[in-house]
Amino acid sequence: MLYVPHSPAAISGSPLQNHTMKNLPRMHLVLLALLFALSSIHYAASDAVYDKFVQCLSSHSNTSDQISSIVFSPENPSYKSVLLNYIRNLRFTTAKTPKPAIIVTPTSEAHVQAAVICAKSNNLLMKVRSGGHDYEGISYISNGTFIILDMFNLRAIDISIADESAIVQAGATLGELYYSIWEKSKVHGFPAGVCPTVGVGGHVSGGGYGNMLRKYGLTVDHVYDAKIVDVNGRILDRYAMGDLFWAIRGGGGASFGVILSYSLKLVQVPETVTYFRLMKTLAQNATDIVYQWQYAMRKIDNDLFIRLLLQPVDSDTKGQKTLRVSFIGNFLGDADRLINVMSEELPELGLKKEDCTEMSWIQSMLVWANFDEGTPPSAFLNRTYDSNFLKRKSDYVKKPISKAGLDSIWKKMIALGKTGLVFNAYGGRMSEIPEDETPFPHRAGNLYKIQYSVNWEDGGIDAESKYLDQIRQLYSFMTPFVSNNPRESYLNYRDLDIGVSDNGRNGYNEALVYGRKYFKGNFDRLVAVKSAVDPDNFFRNEQSIPVQPSKGNK
């Protein structure tokens, strides 16, 4: 049996302990003995789980000599760093945060297969993490005994410019994908997120979008194949999956199996793209510009995407706050053509050629990722990330908000103090794809998506309570302005506030609450797929797709 040694501190009866016990009063000795006994029981239980799992893993893997280097128990010196390396939300790094009994970091597909088989046979809940952001931590937190299957070692990328495709393993990051494309071609790109440390596995399986949204649609709209390990440990491709292939392109992979890789179709980008960022405060007519932006983006050139960042900031008047709107544009073309488009469709912004910067596509992605101009593309290979305490929420807007409505939102944001909003323009290609083409249903009829965002640095309970209350107040205030019946949400902006399931007898009805918000009418089809491929609900989390309820539990 392969075994990773545990810390000497776990061993009772050491010389130091024996010396200490001789000098304690009898009652203290009794209490200490009880403490040691309970500690021994805990470690024995922990060891038993670990030992059984490793034994199983060895018997189901052809590379059993590697297992001691990819399986980590809490007593392993590397356990803490492996756990923390891909936690991006510091809210889930406290002493009270539930920790996994085992972390498995596979280096081969066979390791993944064995891990699924062994977790299932040992009745262990498995959480799958692909190295991304996971706002609510559901890929590495759970009540009860659980393990993490951490996919960060599986990050190979194979680019073929000849057929404009990429095969990308789930543990790769978007930055690594962009860099790999750039190495092979200066006129190809891929429509995905602007944050380079996002993991491909989660990003694609939840839908995925970026600043080419209006031109090329979602990330999942460019997936033509995939490989997944199912609940029985089999590796399936698109043709073996059947309807499961539909489900994992926007329905979240973690409900159905372990995504190994996605096969993606690249898109063509011009040699020159244009970037701009203009900031306007309320005193600089920001409200009127935002109001007109809502109408313009429905029909503007599909080569143009404009994101708005809305933040409370200090005003020129000492002691007072105002609202600042940053208009961030990505245009698949040169500055002259962009100015012509803007002068016709959104003259209120007053964009001038000197506000624009022409660059290559890869350079534009670096700027969108907040790197300085001139940063080499190799920066995308850096996986380090400045984590924060944070909370995110989402909404969809279907009708333009009036100027009076916008004014009321600004006042609420200023009064709250910190929570910001991000408006992401829709239209274009997004309005042309049917709702049921993929599980992601938020297509035609949406003007823009809203992300609510608050970060803070103080790890105390009071700070967390304060900022969570702020973002929830703003979300509640926005109710009259956003979608309803259901109030729609974006799966990749995971938000446990909108509903959770304990995956018990009432799991379907609990999942229905958040499922309708994430998937609308596609929820029932996802449930049907789940029931067919994982009828015992092995792959589950707090917001997973449930199996169909039995007749007695509807």
Side-chain angles (χ1 to χ4, degrees):
M1 179 189 68
L2 292 166
Y3 186 77
V4 177
H6 296 295
S7 166
I11 304 172
S12 60
S14 69
L16 176 61
Q17 291 168 348
N18 291 334
H19 173 78
T20 304
M21 292 173 70
K22 291 178 182 178
N23 295 281
L24 288 174
R26 180 177 176 82
M27 180 57 69
H28 286 181
L29 284 172
V30 172
L31 292 174
L32 194 57
L34 179 60
L35 179 62
F36 284 151
L38 292 173
S39 177
S40 297
I41 292 171
H42 167 76
Y43 281 114
S46 176
D47 289 354
V49 170
Y50 179 86
D51 291 347
K52 287 180 65 179
F53 183 79
V54 169
Q55 283 181 326
C56 178
L57 212 58
S58 298
S59 66
H60 284 87
S61 175
N62 294 326
T63 54
S64 58
D65 57 316
Q66 299 177 15
I67 290 178
S68 61
S69 64
I70 66 167
V71 183
F72 301 86
S73 72
E75 287 72 45
N76 188 300
S78 298
Y79 171 92
K80 183 176 180 181
S81 62
V82 172
L83 177 63
L84 295 179
N85 275 348
Y86 293 98
I87 294 181
R88 309 305 194 189
N89 190 342
L90 295 181
R91 288 171 56 204
F92 307 123
T93 58
T94 69
K96 293 182 179 180
T97 303
K99 308 296 191 299
I102 301 168
I103 305 174
V104 185
T105 60
T107 57
S108 72
E109 294 180 347
H111 289 155
V112 177
Q113 292 175 279
V116 170
I117 291 169
C118 294
K120 185 180 178 184
S121 64
N122 284 280
N123 199 28
L124 292 171
L125 175 62
M126 173 185 284
K127 293 297 186 90
V128 184
R129 184 166 73 171
S130 64
H133 287 189
D134 191 0
Y135 291 146
E136 295 283 30
I138 65 172
S139 64
Y140 53 85
I141 294 174
S142 188
N143 294 321
T145 304
F146 71 103
I147 70 172
I148 293 176
L149 184 65
D150 203 324
M151 301 290 285
F152 68 87
N153 283 323
L154 294 175
R155 56 181 191 248
I157 300 172
D158 182 18
I159 304 292
S160 173
I161 296 302
D163 60 4
E164 300 184 311
S165 68
I167 299 175
V168 188
Q169 287 188 310
T173 65
L174 295 181
E176 291 166 344
L177 172 59
Y178 298 153
Y179 178 82
S180 298
I181 296 171
W182 170 80
E183 279 190 308
K184 296 290 184 69
S185 171
K186 306 303 182 278
V187 290
H188 285 86
F190 189 70
V194 300
C195 189
T197 53
V198 167
V200 167
H203 185 70
V204 178
S205 72
Y209 81 100
N211 57 20
M212 293 194 286
L213 173 81
R214 302 185 69 259
K215 176 73 171 183
Y216 290 116
L218 298 175
T219 305
V220 290
D221 297 330
H222 301 269
V223 175
Y224 69 88
D225 204 346
K227 289 172 70 176
I228 187 172
V229 175
D230 74 358
V231 71
N232 298 309
R234 300 173 302 174
I235 296 179
L236 308 177
D237 64 7
R238 171 180 184 165
Y239 300 100
M241 276 188 247
D243 216 23
L244 176 57
F245 181 66
W246 174 85
I248 62 171
R249 291 178 298 135
S255 292
F256 305 99
V258 181
I259 306 294
L260 294 174
S261 65
Y262 278 108
S263 298
L264 312 172
K265 270 295 184 184
L266 305 182
V267 300
Q268 295 186 2
V269 295
E271 291 184 2
T272 299
V273 304
T274 305
Y275 170 88
F276 68 84
R277 182 180 184 123
L278 282 181
M279 292 183 286
K280 302 287 185 179
T281 64
L282 297 183
Q284 296 168 319
N285 210 30
T287 302
D288 285 345
I289 303 172
V290 173
Y291 177 74
Q292 293 299 333
W293 170 87
Q294 297 178 104
Y295 289 92
M297 296 313 294
R298 293 188 295 187
K299 61 184 188 308
I300 209 163
D301 193 308
N302 290 0
D303 286 336
L304 179 60
F305 174 84
I306 302 178
R307 165 179 283 180
L308 311 187
L309 301 183
L310 306 104
Q311 301 165 294
V313 295
D314 293 331
S315 72
D316 293 335
T317 304
K318 188 176 181 180
Q320 294 187 15
K321 292 274 189 179
T322 186
L323 188 98
R324 182 182 68 203
V325 183
S326 300
F327 297 82
I328 309 173
N330 184 75
F331 184 67
L332 299 172
D334 59 39
D336 287 333
R337 187 160 72 89
L338 170 61
I339 295 301
N340 288 336
V341 169
M342 291 294 288
S343 62
E344 290 182 11
E345 303 294 346
L346 191 58
E348 294 81 5
L349 184 58
L351 185 71
K352 300 179 176 62
K353 190 170 182 179
E354 53 265 34
D355 300 320
C356 304
T357 305
E358 295 180 335
M359 57 186 71
S360 65
W361 176 78
I362 193 70
Q363 288 173 328
S364 75
M365 296 307 293
L366 286 161
V367 173
W368 273 84
N370 294 320
F371 289 105
D372 294 333
E373 283 187 48
T375 299
S378 58
F380 276 148
L381 302 179
N382 186 354
R383 286 184 161 233
T384 59
Y385 183 86
D386 293 329
S387 300
N388 293 292
F389 298 91
L390 61 88
K391 175 68 179 178
R392 302 288 189 266
K393 300 176 77 67
S394 62
D395 260 321
Y396 287 87
V397 175
K398 297 181 180 295
K399 297 179 181 179
I401 301 173
S402 68
K403 290 182 183 180
L406 292 173
D407 281 332
S408 69
I409 295 169
W410 311 157
K411 289 176 183 177
K412 184 64 175 180
M413 293 175 69
I414 292 169
L416 290 171
K418 191 170 177 65
T419 301
L421 298 177
V422 184
F423 290 178
N424 293 288
Y426 265 44
R429 180 65 179 141
M430 287 296 288
S431 296
E432 299 168 359
I433 300 173
E435 275 193 5
D436 60 358
E437 180 77 14
T438 67
F440 181 102
H442 318 291
R443 304 281 193 169
N446 290 296
L447 296 179
Y448 52 98
K449 172 167 58 185
I450 298 177
Q451 181 186 51
Y452 300 73
S453 175
V454 64
N455 294 356
W456 64 95
E457 297 179 358
D458 183 356
I461 295 175
D462 290 344
E464 178 170 319
S465 177
K466 172 184 175 181
Y467 293 117
L468 291 182
D469 181 64
Q470 268 196 29
I471 195 170
R472 287 165 179 163
Q473 279 196 51
L474 184 57
Y475 182 80
S476 177
F477 184 84
M478 292 292 291
T479 302
F481 307 111
V482 299
S483 62
N484 59 76
N485 296 320
R487 184 171 182 172
E488 300 171 31
S489 296
Y490 175 40
L491 181 65
N492 277 355
Y493 291 167
R494 188 76 75 167
D495 179 11
L496 295 184
D497 291 352
I498 68 171
V500 295
S501 172
D502 65 5
N503 292 288
R505 290 176 59 85
N506 198 38
Y508 174 85
N509 290 327
E510 291 169 343
L512 193 61
V513 176
Y514 58 79
R516 293 291 189 204
K517 295 174 183 178
Y518 287 138
F519 307 114
K520 299 177 65 178
N522 293 329
F523 177 70
D524 290 331
R525 184 176 172 186
L526 286 168
V527 172
V529 174
K530 169 71 173 181
S531 302
V533 303
D534 183 20
D536 295 325
N537 199 22
F538 170 72
F539 292 108
R540 62 190 185 275
N541 59 55
E542 290 77 2
Q543 282 192 342
S544 56
I545 301 298
V547 296
Q548 290 171 333
S550 61
K551 292 182 179 179
N553 291 332
K554 286 186 177 179

